[in-house]
Amino acid sequence: MASDLELTPTSYINHHLTNLTTSLGEEPFWTLHVDTLLMSIILGVLGMGVLWLVVRRATPGVPTKRQACVELLVEFVDTQVKNTFHGNRHTFIAPAALTIFVWVLLLNTMDLLPIDIMAWIYEHVFGLHNWRTVPTTDVNTTFALALSIWLLMIFFNVKVKGLGGWSYELFCTPFGKNPILWPLNLLFNIIEYVSKPLSHSLRLFGNIYAGEIIFLLLGMWAATGVTGSFFSVILGAGWLIFHILIVTLQAFIFMMLAVVYLSMAHESH
């Protein structure tokens, strides 16, 4: 196998961003991205497990640093939900928003780990080739998350408004209930419903994937010589600081869009 330095830029990027997959059938649809699934499950259990342990050991007196950190996180998410969702947010919406934010933030944070070091660990310690460390650089992950929110949106539309009320909205909004306008209203709403999971998923995927590629390109620049190494370190440090903001911001945006979509499902037009 050629070393990383012998690979072309395209093959180098593909080498690091290719999934470890397994097939359950002959069709591509039944292909599972093992690395994406395992990393998502591990990070999800880790994040929720830590929060559960901290909350379980919480005391009414002076909080520990861990408890104070979790309380600030919960209060921050609850405030954001309160400003958007007008109803009993504590039964489902706020806990779901907290889960989404923590999970997506952990998935994105894996992008801050050194790519070559992690690749060396996977290959030489675990014997794994082409292991993807960042689940959100896989569009299947972001689309699955967005599709889950989309299905919840459909569920709450039917639960809150009833099947008849939701059908009425599909055919009679936004242009009115005149039967002549029903096809136009339905077409408009179908486009809106299809665009929501697509934009929701591709926004997160595009930002994290692009950040991963920039890290790879900066790493390749360091292999060109002393000048490349110098500028690679300087620009890499700057991009790392900026990317920390992107990682957090994208998790926040994904959470807020989920809250907005679920809030819209509870409102009647």
Side-chain angles (χ1 to χ4, degrees):
M1 178 182 296
S3 65
D4 287 346
L5 299 181
E6 296 172 342
L7 296 173
T8 64
T10 302
S11 60
Y12 180 84
I13 292 174
N14 291 334
H15 175 71
H16 283 282
L17 296 182
T18 302
N19 281 86
L20 179 65
T21 63
T22 184
S23 181
L24 301 180
E26 297 181 358
E27 299 296 329
F29 180 80
W30 298 110
T31 300
L32 296 179
H33 293 185
V34 179
D35 46 7
T36 296
L37 289 172
L38 286 180
M39 292 298 297
S40 300
I41 292 172
I42 291 172
L43 292 173
V45 172
L46 179 63
M48 295 301 107
V50 169
L51 291 180
W52 178 78
L53 287 175
V54 173
V55 172
R56 185 181 180 185
R57 298 176 181 177
T59 58
V62 178
T64 62
K65 293 181 180 180
R66 295 188 184 90
Q67 181 178 337
C69 181
V70 171
E71 287 179 355
L72 288 174
L73 174 63
V74 172
E75 184 179 355
F76 168 75
V77 173
D78 185 65
T79 301
Q80 302 306 315
V81 176
K82 181 181 179 180
N83 294 333
T84 305
F85 180 78
H86 306 291
N88 186 6
R89 63 187 185 277
H90 296 132
T91 56
F92 182 82
I93 304 299
L98 178 64
T99 302
I100 293 169
F101 179 72
V102 172
W103 197 14
V104 174
L105 180 61
L106 290 176
L107 298 180
N108 292 350
T109 304
M110 299 302 292
D111 196 19
L112 303 178
L113 298 177
I115 297 172
D116 284 340
I117 294 177
M118 296 305 300
W120 186 91
I121 292 174
Y122 292 136
E123 184 169 351
H124 293 85
V125 177
F126 299 103
L128 299 172
H129 302 279
N130 297 334
W131 185 271
R132 187 190 294 263
T133 305
V134 190
T136 42
T137 58
D138 184 356
V139 70
N140 296 281
T141 301
T142 59
F143 188 74
L145 291 170
L147 187 61
S148 299
I149 303 301
W150 187 79
L151 292 175
L152 285 172
M153 183 179 63
I154 301 296
F155 170 78
F156 281 112
N157 264 301
V158 176
K159 179 182 179 181
V160 174
K161 306 166 188 175
L163 185 59
W166 182 47
S167 300
Y168 176 84
E169 283 193 353
L170 289 177
F171 285 92
C172 298
T173 57
F175 302 118
K177 57 184 179 180
N178 190 315
I180 299 177
L181 298 174
W182 286 3
L184 184 61
N185 287 330
L186 181 61
L187 177 62
F188 184 87
N189 284 299
I190 288 177
I191 294 174
E192 181 182 359
Y193 272 91
V194 171
S195 64
K196 283 179 178 177
L198 290 177
S199 61
H200 201 185
S201 60
L202 293 178
R203 180 184 292 103
L204 176 61
F205 163 73
N207 281 278
I208 304 302
Y209 188 83
E212 187 83 346
I213 291 179
I214 290 177
F215 277 126
L216 286 169
L217 292 176
L218 289 174
M220 292 180 63
W221 196 10
T224 60
V226 177
T227 303
S229 299
F230 175 78
F231 285 105
S232 177
V233 171
I234 299 299
L235 295 177
W239 179 249
L240 177 62
I241 296 173
F242 180 69
H243 202 61
I244 292 175
L245 300 177
I246 294 177
V247 162
T248 308
L249 180 62
Q250 289 304 313
F252 174 76
I253 292 175
F254 195 91
M255 177 199 73
M256 287 306 302
L257 285 175
V259 173
V260 169
Y261 293 157
L262 296 178
S263 299
M264 292 173 61
H266 285 75
E267 297 174 355
S268 298
H269 296 283

